[in-house]
Amino acid sequence: MKFSLSWLRDHLDFTASLDEICTTLNRIGLEVESVDDPTERLAGFRTAKILEASPHPDADRLQLCRVSAGQGFEDVQVVCGAPNARTGLHVIFAPPGTYIPGSDMTIKPGKIRGQASNGMLCSLRELGIGEESNGIAELPDGSPLGEDYVRHARLDDPVIEIAITPNRGDALSVRGIARDLAAAGLGTLKPWLTETVEGQGESPIQWEISHPACRYVTGRLIRGVKNGPSPAWLKRRLESVGLRPQSALVDVTNYLMMHVGRPLHVFDAARLTGDRLSLTSGTGEHFRALDGQELVLGTDDLVIADEAGVQSLAGIIGGEASAVTDETVDVFVESALFDPVRIALTGRRLGVQTDARYRFERGVDQALVRSGLEAATALIVELCGGTPSEVTEAGAEPAWQRTASLRFERLASLGGLEIEADRAVDILEALGFEVQERTAEKAVFSVPSWRNDVAAGHGLAQAVTLDAAVAERAAASVEVMEAEADLVEEVLRIRGLDEVPALSLPRAHMVPAPAVTPQQARVALLRRLCAGRGLMETVGFSFVSDQDAALFEEGREQDRLLNPIATDLNQLRPTPIINLLRALGRNLAHGQGFSGDASFFELGPCFGQQGTRMVLAGVRGGVSGRAPGQSAEEPSWMDAKADLMAALAALGVAEASLSSTADAPGYYHPGRSGVVRQGPKLVLGSFGELHPRVARHFGLSGTVALFEMTLDRVPLTKVKRKAAPTLSVLQPVRRDFAFLADEKVQIQDVLKAVRMADRKLITDVRLFDIFEGGSVPAGHRSLGVEVTLQPQKDSLTDTQLDALMTAVESAVQKATGATLRR
């Protein structure tokens, strides 16, 4: 929010300096972002007159000018190259030592082509206050000599820019800022009253509201206006805050928006169709705004339409079709209240940012709708003439009246400052809060219409961890509590935020909370694990081509993109494997993968029939590196299973709780793949070799091993207080078994049976060999199993070992039918 010092004087009677104003603004929470003081920036420039201009003896395009610039510079020679420099011209003179902001240089006396030059004749561009020109600035005849140019041009008006927090919509006007400064004791707030302008005859244009986002709208027709440039004072006001003057009719609305915070809009009545303006919803039509943008309106957008169509995007920007011009004769002025949330959503969706939207979405004065219209009418009639009609309106001014109470002891207990009750009441009254009731302990105030942030009735959301009984008690009086906090904030703010003591929040625990969540810790752990296993991490798009996706999962319509960034990225990916296979193909095509480097993994989201989920996926391709005594080998399904099982083990999933089944998805090789489950239903991941058909689609040759793990399905490890481990002083004992089993018997069933034979002594069971053929009967295979026994107290005797081996043999035979190979 920008405002000039002279504009502030329209609302505030003060004698404070610029530094005092800036200090006070910072103290009361209106942070000063910048101060532009032309008296400092343009110091040194003087008004002057060219007494004589003659050609330079040694340069065709230069002139020798004798300049008079007042006391001390009565007759100064300046070499000037401006084509419009001539005798008798009044100009802007920069004596030596003057800084030229437009050229970023400081004037020094010197010689130009052998002739002395003791200053510079300047253009407005060189002063940084005008556009490029073909010569020096020309001042009116009769301008005084030697006067400070800043004062002569009435530029000695500092402009202050402050930052506004989202809840302070009332501070988005010069009057709102003046009100705060007056409450802080920096001056006296002047009254701002508007007189009712008597209308002549009923307005031929009426309002109609058919959208809940508009609560109240007013307007009136002004006939016979003459539009044109605004007077100098109005132009200066708008230019000082960065607004470009356009025409008197438009400038009036911008002026009142900055002056008192009331956005308005003017329509050229001759360019409206019909006798009714309707506040309604958009219907997908195209709308050309005043700034030339072509907008496509949605059904949630609030618009002002006549019989011909949309004429304004309500509360945001007007339409080009009904804009006022220099030929405008009849104008219709609109002043309304719009829903802040709807204005914000529409503005964000369409990407339109305007001063009107900025104010409406932060809340405008709800009692200023009619007054703003009257003020605009009076100013338009004063500047442009015309005859206003009676006011037409629809809806009704909302019931903004509300109260807020303040317990005086809360100023110290909540704000940390001891403030007298009378002083607190004086502050709030200066801000527009009126006392309704008062006792020694508390006071009840009526909230002014411009403070939409105080006692608004929108309670803060409660923490989900809050006890139900406490939450119910808090909800019963939350509006009263938050309104009181608003009043405490106002008193503290005007007293001075720099006086509020700084206190550290109490620590909930002596040990700080972890910096990462368990989910984040698991992600980091898996990334380190995969990198340690030789896989290189990739980060791919969440979009793939629908042709690639069809090989992995039947596509869903909701997963297709309506406006993809590329034709081959038109669907949400069902698995990261697609991205990894594309990366593998590119690397193999460039000769990578012949030294064990073509191994990749990605941990990221995927989408599809199972919903959105986080998946860890990896692929291995190419061949291993050659070495003496070793042959280069392609990866196999066992490599992929080892990667998957290592990831699950890192997450704390016990291998004994897992089982494997041969029902992997269709893009795996049907005989060299599997699914890892925990229990009969919970599928944690899959592993195997890539189906040859899918490999051909991606242009891959050779064996490709891959695995997937759905991270969301892996249960979080329960944090338990563990006792110190009991370490045995005895050496473990290992025994090997060879079981003859039918080839249909699942190996995991054999291992599980061995493990269950004695759960105390048997600490590990591993498969170390699979043998088929030879002396093994057809349809059978020999399974070599290593069993680790760990005694705790006493060494195992031969008798105990024999009994245990018998128990293992019996358990396996009972569970699977496999017998000990003899």
Side-chain angles (χ1 to χ4, degrees):
M1 172 64 190
K2 291 183 177 181
F3 64 95
S4 65
L5 218 56
S6 64
W7 202 338
L8 183 64
R9 292 187 187 278
D10 287 355
H11 295 280
L12 187 67
D13 187 4
F14 64 93
T15 58
S17 66
L18 179 61
D19 288 341
E20 289 175 325
I21 291 174
C22 293
T23 300
T24 303
L25 288 171
N26 284 324
R27 184 166 56 85
I28 63 177
L30 300 177
E31 182 182 357
V32 176
E33 293 194 318
S34 65
V35 178
D36 181 19
D37 188 357
T39 58
E40 295 182 1
R41 180 165 48 88
L42 301 178
F45 292 96
R46 307 162 67 98
T47 58
K49 180 180 180 180
I50 300 177
L51 301 177
E52 181 183 359
S54 59
H56 192 290
D58 297 321
D60 295 338
R61 296 186 178 182
L62 299 179
Q63 298 188 73
L64 297 180
C65 299
R66 288 177 48 231
V67 177
S68 176
Q71 186 176 4
F73 302 94
E74 289 82 0
D75 193 347
V76 181
Q77 179 171 291
V78 176
V79 178
C80 181
N84 63 330
R86 60 187 182 274
T87 301
L89 180 65
H90 287 262
V91 293
I92 304 172
F93 172 67
T98 303
Y99 175 72
I100 311 297
S103 303
D104 191 22
M105 59 180 288
T106 300
I107 297 299
K108 297 179 180 179
K111 290 186 177 182
I112 300 177
R113 294 290 184 94
Q115 297 294 323
S117 182
N118 296 304
M120 179 178 180
L121 304 183
C122 304
S123 66
L124 294 180
R125 182 194 64 80
E126 288 164 330
L127 270 67
I129 58 175
E131 302 296 331
E132 184 68 49
S133 63
N134 294 324
I136 56 178
E138 299 186 12
L139 302 183
D141 292 339
S143 298
L145 302 183
E147 185 178 355
D148 187 353
Y149 175 71
V150 174
R151 300 188 185 281
H152 172 77
R154 297 183 181 179
L155 298 176
D156 54 337
D157 191 9
V159 174
I160 302 172
E161 183 174 8
I162 60 175
I164 302 296
T165 54
N167 66 314
R168 291 301 309 279
D170 65 296
L172 289 171
S173 68
V174 181
R175 183 160 187 82
I177 297 168
R179 185 186 298 112
D180 273 14
L181 290 173
L186 205 67
T188 303
L189 186 66
K190 298 178 181 179
W192 185 80
L193 302 174
T194 57
E195 296 183 0
T196 301
V197 179
E198 294 296 332
Q200 299 183 17
E202 184 178 355
S203 171
I205 300 175
Q206 299 294 314
W207 286 111
E208 181 179 79
I209 298 178
S210 59
H211 197 295
C214 179
R215 295 169 284 177
Y216 182 43
V217 62
T218 65
R220 75 185 334 157
L221 183 72
I222 305 178
R223 299 181 178 88
V225 300
K226 182 170 179 56
N227 197 16
S230 296
W233 70 267
L234 182 52
K235 287 183 178 179
R236 284 196 299 270
R237 284 285 166 83
L238 297 180
E239 289 172 344
S240 68
V241 297
L243 295 178
R244 181 174 58 87
Q246 300 180 47
S247 67
L249 290 172
V250 176
D251 293 349
V252 164
T253 62
N254 287 334
Y255 169 75
L256 288 172
M257 178 177 63
M258 303 299 295
H259 195 58
V260 294
R262 168 41 33 196
L264 302 133
H265 185 63
V266 289
F267 299 90
D268 187 334
R271 304 175 74 178
L272 298 175
T273 303
D275 60 356
R276 189 167 296 276
L277 286 176
S278 177
L279 285 137
T280 184
S281 301
T283 57
E285 61 265 69
H286 288 256
F287 168 70
R288 191 171 185 82
L290 282 171
D291 59 1
Q293 289 191 74
E294 192 77 26
L295 306 175
V296 180
L297 305 180
T299 55
D300 290 333
D301 299 334
L302 176 64
V303 301
I304 299 177
D306 63 3
E307 292 182 4
V310 176
Q311 299 300 330
S312 175
L313 188 58
I316 299 179
I317 192 169
E320 192 177 80
S322 58
V324 295
T325 64
D326 290 344
E327 287 73 38
T328 297
V329 176
D330 298 337
V331 63
F332 187 78
V333 188
E334 166 255 312
S335 178
L337 277 178
F338 303 115
D339 179 64
V341 174
R342 187 60 57 87
I343 295 297
L345 291 176
T346 295
R348 291 173 190 172
R349 188 184 69 81
L350 297 175
V352 180
Q353 181 62 271
T354 63
D355 289 320
R357 172 199 159 184
Y358 193 77
R359 283 159 177 78
F360 274 120
E361 66 185 11
R362 284 160 177 77
V364 298
D365 190 340
Q366 300 181 74
L368 201 60
V369 178
R370 183 67 178 263
S371 300
L373 179 64
E374 298 290 358
T377 303
L379 198 50
I380 289 174
V381 171
E382 177 185 342
L383 300 181
C384 305
T387 303
S389 71
E390 295 176 355
V391 175
T392 177
E393 61 183 17
E397 184 178 289
W400 53 264
Q401 295 81 0
R402 56 198 185 278
T403 60
S405 60
L406 172 64
R407 290 169 290 174
F408 300 123
E409 59 87 13
R410 294 292 282 168
L411 294 169
S413 62
L414 187 60
L417 277 181
E418 293 287 348
I419 301 176
E420 296 180 358
D422 290 342
R423 174 58 179 150
V425 171
D426 290 342
I427 289 174
L428 292 172
E429 286 184 325
L431 290 172
F433 296 84
E434 296 182 2
V435 178
Q436 299 294 313
E437 302 175 19
R438 179 176 175 180
T439 64
E441 293 78 22
K442 63 178 290 188
V444 178
F445 299 87
S446 62
V447 180
S449 59
W450 54 82
R451 291 307 299 265
N452 295 281
D453 59 314
V454 178
H458 304 297
L460 298 177
Q462 295 180 333
V464 294
T465 57
L466 195 63
D467 180 80
V470 175
E472 184 178 355
R473 290 198 306 271
S477 57
V478 65
E479 293 186 10
V480 176
M481 294 165 60
E482 291 189 2
E484 184 177 53
D486 291 336
L487 295 184
V488 171
E489 177 187 359
E490 290 304 298
V491 174
L492 296 177
R493 184 175 65 85
I494 299 301
R495 170 68 180 271
L497 295 178
D498 54 343
E499 295 188 26
V500 178
L503 296 177
S504 299
L505 291 174
R507 291 184 178 181
H509 304 283
M510 292 304 295
V511 179
V516 295
T517 64
Q519 291 81 357
Q520 292 171 327
R522 297 208 304 176
V523 168
L525 175 64
L526 291 175
R527 284 175 171 154
R528 291 196 300 270
L529 172 77
C530 291
R533 294 183 64 82
L535 298 160
M536 181 177 292
E537 183 176 11
T538 68
V539 179
F541 283 117
S542 292
F543 314 125
V544 296
S545 73
D546 56 347
Q547 297 178 355
D548 288 351
L551 296 172
F552 294 84
E553 185 177 289
E554 183 178 351
R556 302 185 304 168
E557 189 63 29
Q558 56 264 45
D559 294 333
R560 296 290 295 274
L561 303 182
L562 298 178
N563 186 24
I565 59 176
T567 55
D568 59 344
L569 297 173
N570 62 347
Q571 182 170 330
L572 292 171
R573 65 181 183 184
T575 172
I577 291 294
I578 300 174
N579 306 73
L580 295 175
L581 292 178
R582 288 295 179 195
L584 177 64
R586 287 190 293 270
N587 279 268
L588 293 179
H590 286 80
Q592 301 296 323
F594 296 99
S595 59
D597 291 334
S599 302
F600 306 100
F601 81 94
E602 180 176 349
L603 179 55
C606 57
F607 316 84
Q609 297 174 2
Q610 301 178 48
T612 303
R613 59 200 190 282
M614 289 291 292
V615 173
L616 171 66
V619 298
R620 292 182 180 272
V623 294
S624 61
R626 294 178 294 178
Q630 297 179 2
S631 59
E633 296 181 352
E634 294 183 333
S636 71
W637 63 269
M638 289 184 288
D639 296 316
K641 183 178 182 181
D643 290 333
L644 176 59
M645 298 304 290
L648 290 171
L651 296 181
V653 180
E655 183 178 355
S657 67
L658 302 175
S659 61
S660 300
T661 57
D663 54 344
Y667 49 89
Y668 285 91
H669 192 296
R672 303 172 187 170
S673 60
V675 172
V676 174
R677 302 172 183 270
Q678 190 174 44
K681 296 183 179 180
L682 183 59
V683 176
L684 300 182
S686 53
F687 64 89
E689 296 178 8
L690 186 65
H691 197 290
R693 170 176 53 84
V694 180
R696 287 193 298 271
H697 172 82
F698 286 92
L700 299 172
S701 60
T703 302
V704 177
L706 60 147
F707 74 91
E708 298 167 276
M709 183 185 75
T710 305
L711 184 59
D712 303 330
R713 295 179 182 171
V714 180
L716 285 170
T717 304
K718 295 182 179 179
V719 180
K720 296 181 179 179
R721 180 174 294 180
K722 296 182 178 179
T726 302
L727 301 178
S728 176
V729 298
L730 302 174
Q731 242 183 316
V733 179
R734 292 179 176 85
R735 289 289 184 269
D736 293 342
F737 294 83
F739 292 103
L740 185 64
D742 191 283
E743 61 182 5
K744 296 181 180 180
V745 172
Q746 295 287 328
I747 296 176
Q748 62 190 6
D749 294 339
V750 174
L751 300 179
K752 182 178 180 181
V754 173
R755 197 175 288 112
M756 298 300 293
D758 192 321
R759 300 178 64 178
K760 292 184 178 181
L761 281 177
I762 298 177
T763 58
D764 191 23
V765 179
R766 295 183 182 277
L767 176 73
F768 68 85
D769 182 51
I770 301 176
F771 178 72
E772 296 177 346
S775 60
V776 176
H780 290 72
R781 56 185 174 180
S782 175
L783 305 178
V785 179
E786 180 189 76
V787 180
T788 301
L789 310 172
Q790 179 61 66
Q792 295 296 327
K793 296 181 179 180
D794 302 313
S795 297
L796 296 174
T797 64
D798 290 341
T799 303
Q800 290 173 319
L801 286 174
D802 291 341
L804 182 60
M805 295 177 67
T806 302
V808 169
E809 179 183 358
S810 176
V812 171
Q813 183 174 8
K814 182 178 180 180
T816 65
T819 59
L820 197 64
R821 187 180 176 194
R822 309 214 182 253

